[in-house]
Amino acid sequence: MSSAFTRKVINGRPLIARNVSGGEMANRTPPRDIQRIACVLFAMVLYTAVYYQSGGARHYLMTSSSAITSAAARAGTLQVTTWNVAAINNNPFEYWITYNDEYEKLMIQIEQFINTPTEAQDVPVHKVFTQDMFQELDHELTERAKWKSVAEYWEKEYANRKIVSEFLKDPLLGSKRLASMPDRITNTINLANGEAVFRPTVINMYQGSLDNQQQWWSAWKEFMFRTTLSINDKTGQTVKQIPYQMLQPISPAKYPDITPQEAQDSLPLQTLCGAIFDAILVHMMNECAASPKAWQALKKTMVEKLNKQKTSKTLNILADSHYVKSDIVTLQEVSMSLVELARKHAILGKQFHIIVSSEFLDPVRDQNSVVFLNKDSFPAGVDKEITSQVMKQFDENVPVAVGDVLAVTATNVQGDRYLIASFHGDTNGLATKPVVQAVNAIVPAGHTLIFGLDANTYEQGKPGKTQDVSEFAQFFSTELHLTSCWGDTVNASNYTTFNARTFLQPQLQKGCRSTEKRSKGDVNPKDFILFPEKTFSIQKTWKDNTGEAKYTENMAFPTLDFPSDHGILATILAKNSNI
Ligand SMILES: *[C@@H]1O[C@H](CO)[C@@H](O)[C@H](O)[C@H]1NC(C)=O
Ligand SMILES: *[C@@H]1O[C@H](CO)[C@@H](O)[C@H](O)[C@H]1NC(C)=O
């Protein structure tokens, strides 16, 4: 198998520990350097002062003059951070990112190519996927896969369609899923050994050369028909398969626009449409970019920073001074590999108990809600996991997936008892109210609820379809007597997401032009930290889409520096003395 196909999806790099104790510093200091000894002594005095002030809790010296001090150790306050870290996406071009002029220019060229192609751009399919390529493909379909020939479809339906107006933008081809279904299955294939391989195309992490149609076609054919891969099937068995063998028939029950004949021929037909789709993408990139090398170099940088370094960037932001002080961190859409790397991380692993459900894990979906408890504030970690009690509260109509809820109880150094929950709402936010109600209903006596969630609420909801943010705030404040880090009344335009799909992904109807990122994108107030009213006063709430405790409004993200499509939300709460 060509090594160009093989890439590790996750590339977490543990950070080197920078916790320097006074003692170590003294040992490394040359004895004759009196000034430096004085400096170290000063640091030790400072360390001791902070140590006693905070009630003797254990701290790490980051530098000689500042210590990590969790808010609880300062007694009476609590820092809570919540962040949907977002699942790994294997297409670096899927969302508009905020990057540089070269990127903007390329994406605007593509947008023009797709939305207002010139006659010279909107050529027939057989100009980019040639008759010869078709014949080779049909040979593979009939001889290797032993499927039916699709020569009739090719001649009557596809060869003469115009690539943009009649292929990419044909809504019927979209609703039949003839190009998007094979993409979904073969875009990125996870191997049994933990690595992943990529179909030779534009819209994934494939890094082989795609300088021209012939180069793409040779690699594509090889991948789809001759590359044997060891993968785990649904039952966990390791099996050997060639990518074309993984394709699934398209069911007319699920996709009613497909005709009975097309459904019957759906395996060879989707292979043909998938090949045409990839051929058009490669052609379009090479037409729109300054040169074939230019877009491939740009893609390489994006793959590196957006995809491969995603986990390490996420962990490093959490380990940074703004968030490592949190008493409680709730995360959503966390993969198990991120959990394991966090536990091994030199700072996070030392500072936090890192908790994932022991019961509700779906290894295939692999998107989990997670809680971090600061070891200074919660030395004993979790008292009890009570996720199952939450899951029992609602019926099957509530769209909650396994892994979306985590609920635990824990006791802090001051003896205060908490129920801490982390939750990832469904895309439309329809599970959010039932889940918040369910969690609130099981708070044990003497415990205070702290609930960090991606509520998936919208600035303007549609009744029965998408959860409106103001209506959600009304619900938790008046019906449940909870409040939020934003207060009781939420400003519906105080967003925590700002993302928009480009046209470089298989569902073109969801693509936004550069000028439509704001109007057609997902720009919404989605994230919350909830707690009972009257228990705390809010000292400070902030959001962050830069990794530097700052939020740039009107900026589409992720960016190459900020790895999620949700901002981080953090709050410092002061415990009210009268309760
Ligand atoms: C809500 O936030 C928006 C945008 O930040 C601001 O323009 C508006 O004045 C705020 N509305 C209220 C009621 O505070
Ligand atoms: C959003 O809410 C935070 C916290 O309440 C506040 O500090 C910030 O000014 C608000 N931003 C906008 C744009 O309204």
Side-chain angles (χ1 to χ4, degrees):
M1 192 172 62
S2 152
S3 70
F5 297 142
T6 314
R7 290 282 179 273
K8 279 259 186 218
V9 178
I10 310 291
N11 185 13
R13 287 197 204 132
L15 207 90
I16 304 305
R18 291 206 295 141
N19 305 330
V20 180
S21 75
E24 276 170 36
M25 272 175 84
N27 285 342
R28 287 196 206 112
T29 310
R32 59 195 153 75
D33 191 341
I34 293 170
Q35 267 195 333
R36 288 182 77 180
I37 292 175
C39 214
V40 170
L41 282 176
F42 176 72
M44 289 171 73
V45 169
L46 204 77
Y47 176 84
T48 314
V50 172
Y51 186 90
Y52 282 106
Q53 244 178 22
S54 62
R58 190 167 50 98
H59 297 294
Y60 303 105
L61 273 183
M62 287 295 282
T63 66
S64 59
S65 62
S66 77
I68 296 172
T69 311
S70 81
R74 295 195 296 266
T77 66
L78 199 67
Q79 178 174 332
V80 186
T81 300
T82 192
W83 191 15
N84 179 333
V85 298
I88 298 265
N89 180 331
N90 295 306
N91 175 8
F93 289 117
E94 177 114 6
Y95 292 102
W96 279 99
I97 64 166
T98 300
Y99 184 24
N100 62 13
D101 289 348
E102 190 196 355
Y103 170 80
E104 285 291 319
K105 208 172 145 209
L106 173 64
M107 298 307 281
I108 289 169
Q109 292 282 332
I110 291 164
E111 171 181 317
Q112 177 273 319
F113 194 103
I114 288 177
N115 289 297
T116 49
T118 61
E119 233 161 273
Q121 287 172 328
D122 206 4
V123 295
V125 164
H126 66 81
K127 293 272 186 206
V128 304
F129 187 71
T130 62
Q131 184 65 29
D132 286 351
M133 290 174 185
F134 172 74
Q135 257 145 11
E136 288 179 36
L137 175 72
D138 209 42
H139 182 80
E140 298 291 345
L141 295 177
T142 52
E143 297 303 309
R144 191 168 292 269
K146 307 285 179 210
W147 292 332
K148 227 179 90 178
S149 163
V150 286
E152 217 181 301
Y153 287 102
W154 168 250
E155 280 151 26
K156 288 197 183 144
E157 275 253 11
Y158 295 109
N160 292 310
R161 286 194 186 202
K162 290 186 176 168
I163 58 173
V164 180
S165 54
E166 295 171 357
F167 192 93
L168 286 185
K169 296 195 81 181
D170 175 12
L172 208 50
L173 206 67
S175 58
K176 291 175 180 177
R177 306 295 302 270
L178 284 168
S180 58
M181 196 65 98
D183 176 67
R184 198 169 94 186
I185 292 178
T186 60
N187 180 296
T188 300
I189 299 172
N190 295 313
L191 303 182
N193 68 5
E195 296 192 345
V197 294
F198 308 100
R199 189 180 78 243
T201 187
V202 174
I203 52 171
N204 62 11
M205 291 160 69
Y206 178 74
Q207 292 202 349
S209 179
L210 297 175
D211 289 354
N212 56 56
Q213 297 306 101
Q214 201 52 53
Q215 208 169 51
W216 160 77
W217 174 238
S218 305
W220 199 94
K221 232 176 11 184
E222 183 72 19
F223 177 81
M224 287 299 281
F225 295 104
R226 283 156 214 269
T227 311
T228 305
L229 303 172
S230 289
I231 59 164
N232 289 333
D233 70 7
K234 278 186 197 137
T235 65
Q237 292 279 316
T238 301
V239 295
K240 287 198 185 303
Q241 279 194 327
I242 301 173
Y244 80 83
Q245 296 170 322
M246 300 172 193
L247 298 174
Q248 300 292 321
I250 298 176
S251 126
K254 252 179 143 177
Y255 305 103
D257 285 330
I258 199 157
T259 67
Q261 189 61 49
E262 287 170 332
Q264 211 179 327
D265 304 333
S266 70
L267 289 171
L269 189 56
Q270 67 181 288
T271 314
L272 170 64
C273 291
I276 296 172
F277 179 69
D278 283 346
I280 297 174
L281 292 185
V282 171
H283 168 78
M284 179 173 74
M285 295 307 281
N286 286 331
E287 287 288 302
C288 290
S291 72
K293 296 284 178 242
W295 76 263
Q296 293 177 88
L298 181 76
K299 173 174 162 177
K300 190 158 187 256
T301 308
M302 290 171 67
V303 164
E304 196 59 42
K305 299 207 169 165
L306 278 175
N307 307 95
K308 291 204 206 166
Q309 292 173 15
K310 179 181 165 86
T311 301
S312 56
K313 278 190 201 290
T314 303
L315 297 178
N316 290 347
I317 289 174
L318 288 168
D320 190 60
S321 60
H322 304 295
Y323 303 108
V324 77
K325 284 184 272 194
S326 306
D327 299 285
I328 298 168
V329 180
T330 61
L331 303 178
Q332 298 85 35
E333 288 200 55
V334 185
S335 66
M336 277 313 290
S337 69
L338 191 146
V339 169
E340 277 149 28
L341 288 167
R343 285 176 176 154
K344 283 187 216 149
H345 190 279
I347 295 171
L348 296 174
K350 269 205 194 114
Q351 193 63 48
F352 293 102
H353 299 283
I354 294 171
I355 302 133
V356 61
S357 178
S358 55
E359 214 183 320
F360 295 93
L361 288 173
D362 176 345
V364 174
R365 184 164 174 265
D366 198 24
Q367 290 178 18
N368 305 292
S369 290
V370 168
V371 168
F372 285 17
L373 294 178
N374 198 306
K375 290 180 183 173
D376 292 342
S377 358
F378 293 90
V382 163
D383 293 337
K384 202 170 167 216
E385 184 189 340
I386 53 172
T387 310
S388 63
Q389 289 185 37
V390 184
M391 297 297 275
K392 267 188 233 143
Q393 298 278 314
F394 36 76
D395 61 42
E396 286 155 6
N397 302 332
V398 182
V400 182
V402 168
D404 280 345
V405 183
L406 175 66
V408 299
T409 57
T411 308
N412 76 358
V413 276
Q414 280 90 27
D416 298 332
R417 290 184 291 174
Y418 292 96
L419 189 168
I420 297 154
S422 177
F423 170 62
H424 169 225
D426 60 296
T427 308
N428 301 320
L430 298 179
T432 300
K433 277 165 52 181
V435 171
V436 171
Q437 182 156 33
V439 170
N440 189 53
I442 60 153
V443 178
H447 287 64
T448 303
L449 174 66
I450 299 286
F451 194 168
L453 66 158
D454 166 9
N456 255 319
T457 41
Y458 292 79
E459 180 175 22
Q460 274 167 332
K462 296 191 191 98
K465 292 210 166 124
T466 51
Q467 178 61 51
D468 183 89
V469 73
S470 304
E471 203 254 339
F472 174 57
Q474 173 90 8
F475 169 76
F476 68 66
S477 59
T478 60
E479 290 188 38
L480 306 181
H481 305 289
L482 298 174
T483 187
S484 79
C485 59
W486 308 107
D488 290 345
T489 48
V490 175
N491 182 337
S493 349
N494 202 337
Y495 311 118
T496 57
T497 63
F498 195 127
N499 64 72
R501 277 193 172 77
T502 68
F503 291 99
L504 282 178
Q505 42 82 28
Q507 292 173 284
L508 283 189
Q509 73 283 7
K510 294 186 178 169
C512 305
R513 298 173 195 229
S514 62
T515 51
E516 293 171 337
K517 286 181 229 172
R518 173 72 191 81
S519 57
K520 272 183 78 183
D522 179 0
V523 183
N524 283 295
K526 295 201 164 187
D527 299 275
F528 283 84
I529 295 164
L530 302 177
F531 46 90
E533 65 183 19
K534 302 199 189 85
T535 49
F536 296 100
S537 339
I538 303 161
Q539 282 194 346
K540 183 181 170 192
T541 290
W542 73 95
K543 53 184 189 173
D544 178 347
N545 62 358
T546 59
E548 293 167 355
K550 288 191 196 85
Y551 192 95
T552 307
E553 297 288 346
N554 294 313
M555 178 182 81
F557 60 102
T559 64
L560 297 195
D561 298 315
F562 190 82
S564 176
D565 60 4
H566 279 251
I568 305 169
L569 177 61
T571 192
I572 297 178
L573 304 173
K575 210 168 124 187
N576 289 334
S577 50
N578 55 345
I579 47 146

